[in-house]
Amino acid sequence: MELVIDRLSKQYNNKIAVDRLSLKLKSGVVGLLGANGAGKTTLMRMICGILKPTGGTITFNGMDVSEEMFRDALGYLPQDFGYYPNFTGKEFLLYMAALKGIERNAARKKCDVLLKTVGLDHAANKKIKTYSGGMKQRLGIAQAVLNDPKILILDEPTAGLDPKERVRFRNLIAELGKDAIVILSTHIVSDVEHIADRILLMKDGQFVFDGTLDDVGMDLEEFYMQHFEEDEEGEQYE
Amino acid sequence: MSDLKKKLQMGFDAPAPIRKEEFLEHLNISENANKSNLEGFLFSQIGYISKSAWVFSLLSLIVAMLGIRYSDQHMIWIISGMTPLLALSIATESSRSERYGMAELEATTKHSLASVVLARLFIISIADLVAMLVITLIGYKAIGRTAVPTMLYVITPFLISVFLELYSVRKLRGRQSFYACIAISFLVSLSIYFIEFEFKTLYKPEFISAWVAAAILALIGVMVQGRKIIKNTEEIVVWNWL
């Protein structure tokens, strides 16, 4: 199982959002850290195949990410997502299961299991519009793993989760990372610190660090802040 | 030779399987093996078309039928003017994913956003075409015309509305496109009523060629706009530079 990104770029008019990135990923959890505007979401959207790159390629096990087979193996939680207003939590999951091509009976069983896993079994038949932010986020995580994805892309997945929910989420992701490629994008350093096998630090569309927690050699939060202190010092002299 | 094979089978044990899990994973045999097919997906989408779209189509059909039942043969324009309202459901369903922020999620599934939009358009179009066929078959005798001109009077305002509404769905976002579609449907309906009320010429036999031309142009417009909408959803998933 391998995700290969080769000289990937994305340019919007005069702004380069992603700048010639190359990467190879195998199963495990990859933490993608970076400030707002670093290019994390743009990179993740290109990996998911929903944003067209300006240059470069992305392949998963040799297949292009625009192919249906790739989407069949993909699970995605976007940073912001909506829902059809009259859906209950369970109806939403069943709808996503239908789109993911999961047969109805299997989908029902899977939805029940997942709703219990994310702690939403008590609210399964309530409309999503009554859910809190954390509940919506947990529902989003549940839909992302419906199809037992081989590649799981999570964009700011812990936003809105309380500490207990965050710990539960980390355990779930760590478990999933044993058999899948999990890319977890966040600017919450502690999320990455606890579960990531590999850390990517992104700034201005480029990777400024690629390694493990051991390679960092210091507190990850301090290491992360260092890169932005350098940036601020540079700005002072401009 | 078969005797030899049997003796060999008896004389040697088959080796135990190795890397079985890897092989099975490669074959992609999983809990999801019993996957839904295209017809199943299409059928499943029927349940996800908004109830308001069905209610609106049904109301339009009922009003058109009442128009046929209680109007005289000159009031073909009542039927003709109702069909733009049928077109609302097509335009609103095509933009529903984006309106409710579901487009990004739907774009990453096996049956992607393009498939969802196409499926909805297909289902709603079939339902609307059936409704218009019913109106035509019941209406043409009641209004004293033949079936073909009646079909033209019924379907042309529908096609004009669909064309204009699909165009607005492409150009406007979110709630704006929804309100624009409502305005277009009512505008086309009111235009028909106004022209017929003022000039009383729209449904005269000598203008049938104009109706044919309008229907053909509107149909081409619908196909072009429909293709562009699907291309818009595909553009973010299909690359052609590889």
Side-chain angles (χ1 to χ4, degrees), chain A residues 45 49-53 56 64-66 68 71-72 76 82-85 87 95 98-99 101 103 143 147 150, chain B residues 25 32 34-36 48 97 100-102 104-112 116 120 236-237 239 241-242:
Chain A
R45 281 183 174 152
I50 61 172
L51 195 60
K52 185 173 170 179
D64 191 272
V65 297
S66 62
E68 184 183 298
R71 292 198 302 276
D72 204 15
Y76 177 49
Y83 50 89
Y84 296 121
F87 272 178
Y95 174 71
L99 293 189
E103 186 268 330
Q143 69 76 31
N147 55 326
K150 291 297 170 210
Chain B
E25 198 180 31
N32 303 331
N34 195 12
K35 290 195 190 256
S36 65
Y48 293 116
S97 298
Y100 290 109
M102 284 287 293
E104 198 170 346
L105 266 181
E106 288 172 350
T108 57
T109 56
K110 181 188 174 190
H111 298 298
S112 70
V116 170
R120 285 177 187 160
I236 59 175
V237 294
W239 313 338
W241 46 264
L242 283 174

Side-chain angles (χ1 to χ4, degrees), chain B:
Chain B
M1 202 61 184
S2 58
D3 280 346
L4 178 61
K5 268 190 185 173
K6 280 181 190 168
K7 283 176 185 170
L8 281 169
Q9 279 172 356
M10 284 163 57
F12 294 92
D13 291 329
I18 53 171
R19 291 161 56 193
K20 177 181 161 187
E21 292 306 320
E22 200 178 332
F23 174 72
L24 288 176
E25 198 180 31
H26 177 68
L27 288 181
N28 206 21
I29 294 172
S30 66
E31 189 187 321
N32 303 331
N34 195 12
K35 290 195 190 256
S36 65
N37 54 19
L38 185 60
E39 290 81 15
F41 167 70
L42 204 63
F43 190 74
S44 74
Q45 283 300 305
I46 293 175
Y48 293 116
I49 289 175
S50 60
K51 291 180 181 56
S52 55
W54 294 121
V55 165
F56 210 80
S57 292
L58 191 62
L59 274 175
S60 305
L61 177 63
I62 290 170
V63 172
M65 302 288 279
L66 287 173
I68 295 168
R69 171 74 178 82
Y70 292 109
S71 63
D72 64 29
Q73 62 180 339
H74 300 295
M75 293 173 77
I76 170 70
W77 48 273
I78 286 184
I79 306 163
S80 189
M82 283 306 300
T83 58
L85 301 178
L86 275 176
L88 255 183
S89 49
I90 290 185
T92 53
E93 280 303 306
S94 70
S95 63
R96 205 158 158 250
S97 298
E98 199 181 332
R99 227 162 54 239
Y100 290 109
M102 284 287 293
E104 198 170 346
L105 266 181
E106 288 172 350
T108 57
T109 56
K110 181 188 174 190
H111 298 298
S112 70
L113 180 60
S115 307
V116 170
V117 172
L118 257 176
R120 285 177 187 160
L121 290 181
F122 179 73
I123 293 163
I124 289 277
S125 300
I126 295 290
D128 285 348
L129 282 170
V130 166
M132 283 186 289
L133 199 64
V134 166
I135 292 169
T136 304
L137 290 174
I138 294 174
Y140 83 91
K141 284 182 183 168
I143 59 174
R145 309 280 179 118
T146 55
V148 171
T150 308
M151 190 68 188
L152 270 176
Y153 300 144
V154 165
I155 205 167
T156 305
F158 171 81
L159 287 174
I160 291 171
S161 297
V162 172
F163 161 58
L164 292 171
E165 286 168 18
L166 289 181
Y167 179 80
S168 76
V169 157
R170 276 187 49 237
K171 295 297 181 186
L172 300 170
R173 290 275 172 262
R175 288 262 149 205
Q176 272 186 334
S177 75
F178 179 65
Y179 295 132
C181 289
I182 294 176
I184 287 167
S185 279
F186 278 102
L187 221 62
V188 173
S189 279
L190 289 172
S191 301
I192 289 170
Y193 295 145
F194 174 76
I195 294 170
E196 179 58 14
F197 187 73
E198 274 295 309
F199 303 106
K200 296 184 179 20
T201 53
L202 214 51
Y203 299 97
K204 289 201 162 138
E206 47 266 38
F207 285 103
I208 198 73
S209 52
W211 280 92
V212 171
I216 290 171
L217 284 173
L219 182 62
I220 292 170
V222 166
M223 284 161 61
V224 167
Q225 293 304 317
R227 192 165 176 276
K228 284 182 178 177
I229 281 183
I230 298 302
K231 203 167 158 31
N232 273 352
T233 61
E234 281 180 349
E235 205 168 62
I236 59 175
V237 294
V238 175
W239 313 338
N240 54 18
W241 46 264
L242 283 174

Side-chain angles (χ1 to χ4, degrees), chain A residues 116-167:
Chain A
K116 196 165 181 182
T117 305
V118 299
L120 285 176
D121 45 333
H122 64 286
N125 296 318
K126 292 185 183 164
K127 292 212 190 312
I128 301 174
K129 58 188 173 194
T130 64
Y131 282 13
S132 67
M135 289 167 77
K136 281 180 202 158
Q137 198 65 8
R138 283 186 274 151
L139 186 65
I141 292 164
Q143 69 76 31
V145 301
L146 259 174
N147 55 326
D148 298 320
K150 291 297 170 210
I151 174 158
L152 181 60
I153 310 289
L154 305 167
D155 199 348
E156 307 281 359
T158 58
L161 299 185
D162 64 39
K164 185 179 164 191
E165 288 164 349
R166 212 179 252 162
V167 168

